[in-house]
């Protein structure tokens, strides 16, 4: 969601301007709808053992690869004990 919204994972919500808030909201709605329609992530299964079809854009497989948007190398960072993957070229703080 943050990659699609072009927001850095360490940017605080309180620091988002109105345009960034609007973009973030629209991106959350769009990606959530898509994930529901595709029955969840490819890394998850439903109650019947069927895998989802939603493919995550940024995950552990993205680390050190080139960003499809700008070509910058994807970085991994830990935020509050959780791994985050981001493009320093597209997601500036």
């Amino acid at each position: 969601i943050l990659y699609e919204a072009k927001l850095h994972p360490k940017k605080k919500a309180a620091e988002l301007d109105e345009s960034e808030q609007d973009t973030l909201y629209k991106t959350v709605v769009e990606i959530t709808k898509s994930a529901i329609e595709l029955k969840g992530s490819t890394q998850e299964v439903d109650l019947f053992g069927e895998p989802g079809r939603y493919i995550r854009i940024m995950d552990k497989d993205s680390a050190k690869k080139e960003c499809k948007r700008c070509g910058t190398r994807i970085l991994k960072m830990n935020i509050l004990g959780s791994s985050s993957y981001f493009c320093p070229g597209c997601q500036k703080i």
Side-chain angles (χ1 to χ4, degrees), residues 1-6 21-33:
I1 290 171
L2 295 177
Y3 174 74
E4 285 296 318
K6 297 182 181 177
Q21 290 173 24
D22 187 49
T23 298
L24 180 58
Y25 175 79
K26 288 177 182 175
T27 305
V28 167
V29 170
E30 178 183 302
I31 290 179
T32 301
K33 265 184 175 178

Side-chain angles (χ1 to χ4, degrees), residues 2 9 58 74-79 82-86:
L2 295 177
M58 288 289 189
I74 302 299
L75 299 179
K76 173 186 176 182
M77 121 174 49
N78 286 324
I79 301 175
S82 181
S83 296
S84 288
Y85 302 89
F86 74 104

